[in-house]
Amino acid sequence: MELGTITTDTLVTTRMGRATEAEVKKLAADIMKNALRHPVLLTKGTYSLIDGLERINAYKALGWSVVPAVFTDDIIEAVDYLEMIREGKILPPRRVAEIARSLQPLV
């Protein structure tokens, strides 16, 4: 797995988000206040989205085009990563916040 960034126009998505517009706005406000807690998860090379569509939509709602991401080419590794997130065992919010703040455009 590799930590990096991706621009929202590079992403390949094949599904619609389940979040309502109000939920996306709420998530965007949370990201603005607390930074992104977990990067989106993508395949290497093809940049197909595995997890994080609502976070991407929240970034778009904020007018930001660069999103923190984790890239993998191993589906088992991706499943393990998602499980570690659910269990709170990966990427402390403070570290993700530092990464996210460094990517946000200065206004």
Side-chain angles (χ1 to χ4, degrees), residues 28-96:
D30 182 66
I31 289 170
M32 187 71 161
K33 180 179 178 184
N34 301 306
L36 184 65
R37 290 187 175 92
H38 299 288
V40 298
L41 182 60
L42 303 156
T43 59
K44 288 181 185 174
T46 60
Y47 307 121
S48 295
L49 184 65
I50 299 170
D51 184 64
L53 185 58
E54 285 79 12
R55 284 168 274 164
I56 289 166
N57 288 335
Y59 258 62
K60 287 180 179 179
L62 290 168
W64 299 342
S65 60
V66 179
V67 181
V70 172
F71 302 91
T72 185
D73 55 6
D74 182 337
I75 192 65
I76 301 299
E77 188 177 59
V79 170
D80 288 345
Y81 173 78
L82 293 172
E83 187 62 30
M84 286 188 294
I85 287 174
R86 279 190 271 288
E87 293 175 358
K89 296 180 179 176
I90 195 166
L91 292 175
R94 182 181 308 172
R95 178 66 183 127
V96 176

